[in-house]
Amino acid sequence: MTNPRNRQQAAAGIQAAAAMSGAVDLSALAAKAEASRQAAAGASGAAAGGPGVTEVTEANFEAVVGRSQEQLVVVELYSTRSLECLELSPVLAGLAQRAGGQWLLARVDVDVSPAIAQAFGVQSVPTVVALAGGQPVSAFSGPQPEAQIQGWLDEIFAKVGGMVGGGAPTPAATPEDPRMVAAEQLMNDGDLDGALAAYRAVVTADPGHAEAQAAVRNLEFILRAQAHDPGIVDTAAPHDVDAQLAAADVLLLSQQPEAAFERVLTVVRSTAGDEKDRARTRLLELFELFDPADPMVVAARRKLAAALY
């Protein structure tokens, strides 16, 4: 267990993290909240690096389909085991972010949410499906050049402009959610356990609340990483999976994400069965703390795909 002083230091660390080049943005939950509200309410769930990208599971898929009544939704069905998916994902994410909210990129890991892939009748990945008015209107499979994808999007907007908003939405002023305000205050006061409980309560009541989900992920990571002895980075035995995963947490908390990724990748390469799957799952969890288009994450995803084959 950490003492109050350590927790206060952690809260300060959250505020400092965003300013560090190449670091995971464990900070500015308030800033992320504002960015999320201004990008799109509800299911849009803006990614840390910009608006227009959200991760989708079976839990929030219905809300994302509903979102297509208001704006074009592009569903990317991918697998981290596919090199073609790893090539296409940053291209789509970059287009979505530069679109400034004109359309939403909804990313579905078919290994995590196979029922969604079945619903679309996906035969291979990557598969990309455009939704407008709650219905599929166009699709393609396999990696495509950025210019070709932009042309595909332009054609869709020309055809379905009346079904969804044709430009970037101008959000109305949204009242502060008192639950989120209270949770943020607990975090700012250094009560990370209390803040985590408060954010979890929001997610329980509102499973599609992307801002609260992001806060839970960030705080769960911080509290888990704080519980480790920092010396584990140097003392972890090569074949001790638990120790190596703990060392990765410590490295990431100390703003060394590339070293953290490599620790987990080493475990993936050197293990099999349940241990390999556990390491893979942990690495994907760490990726979720970053902008999916971050070059560091893209590179690590490529290495993960190679390690799994």
Side-chain angles (χ1 to χ4, degrees):
M1 295 290 293
T2 56
N3 61 40
R5 183 169 182 272
N6 286 340
R7 293 183 182 180
Q8 290 171 356
Q9 290 173 337
I14 297 172
Q15 298 300 325
M20 302 186 67
S21 175
V24 57
D25 185 2
L26 300 177
S27 83
L29 291 179
K32 286 174 71 176
E34 183 62 22
S36 180
R37 281 192 292 270
Q38 291 190 9
S44 62
V53 183
T54 187
E55 292 292 330
V56 178
T57 65
E58 290 158 21
N60 67 341
F61 179 62
E62 185 176 347
V64 171
V65 173
R67 182 74 188 174
S68 72
Q69 299 287 351
E70 303 172 17
Q71 71 179 135
L72 183 69
V73 174
V74 175
V75 181
E76 175 195 0
L77 297 119
Y78 72 95
S79 169
T80 58
R81 296 179 289 110
S82 165
L83 291 175
E84 289 187 336
C85 291
L86 296 178
E87 292 175 6
L88 180 63
S89 289
V91 176
L92 289 171
L95 284 169
Q97 291 170 5
R98 289 193 295 275
Q102 186 182 29
W103 55 276
L104 172 69
L105 176 62
R107 306 185 71 246
V108 180
D109 185 336
V110 299
D111 297 321
V112 174
S113 303
I116 298 178
Q118 292 171 7
F120 281 108
V122 171
Q123 301 296 317
S124 63
V125 290
T127 291
V128 179
V129 182
L131 301 180
Q135 298 295 325
V137 294
S138 187
F140 68 83
S141 297
Q144 304 288 338
E146 181 175 313
Q148 188 167 329
I149 297 173
Q150 184 60 62
W152 176 73
L153 290 165
D154 292 342
E155 288 181 6
I156 293 171
F157 275 112
K159 293 176 181 177
V160 303
M163 297 175 65
V164 296
T170 304
T174 304
E176 291 282 347
D177 184 334
R179 303 169 302 172
M180 298 296 289
V181 172
E184 182 183 328
Q185 186 59 54
L186 287 168
M187 185 185 67
N188 291 338
D189 291 341
D191 183 0
L192 302 189
D193 285 322
L196 177 57
Y199 283 121
R200 281 175 173 165
V202 176
V203 172
T204 298
D206 186 359
H209 200 302
E211 179 190 335
Q213 290 173 345
V216 168
R217 286 195 299 269
N218 289 337
L219 288 171
E220 284 178 342
F221 165 74
I222 292 168
L223 289 169
R224 184 182 73 219
Q226 279 186 305
H228 303 315
D229 178 358
I232 196 71
V233 172
D234 299 316
T235 62
H239 300 295
D240 186 336
V241 174
D242 288 331
Q244 290 295 333
L245 296 184
D249 284 346
V250 172
L251 287 166
L252 187 53
L253 190 64
S254 63
Q255 307 304 321
Q256 300 178 67
E258 291 174 302
F261 292 165
E262 191 56 40
R263 280 285 179 132
V264 186
L265 283 165
T266 299
V267 176
V268 173
R269 297 183 186 111
S270 62
T271 56
D274 291 342
E275 289 187 337
K276 190 183 195 77
D277 189 60
R278 185 153 62 96
R280 169 187 170 277
T281 299
R282 173 59 60 82
L283 188 55
L284 294 177
E285 290 173 355
L286 297 184
F287 288 161
E288 288 183 348
L289 301 172
F290 290 78
D291 176 352
D294 189 310
M296 204 166 38
V297 175
V298 173
R301 283 189 180 275
R302 289 181 183 274
K303 293 179 180 178
L304 176 59
L308 291 172
Y309 279 106

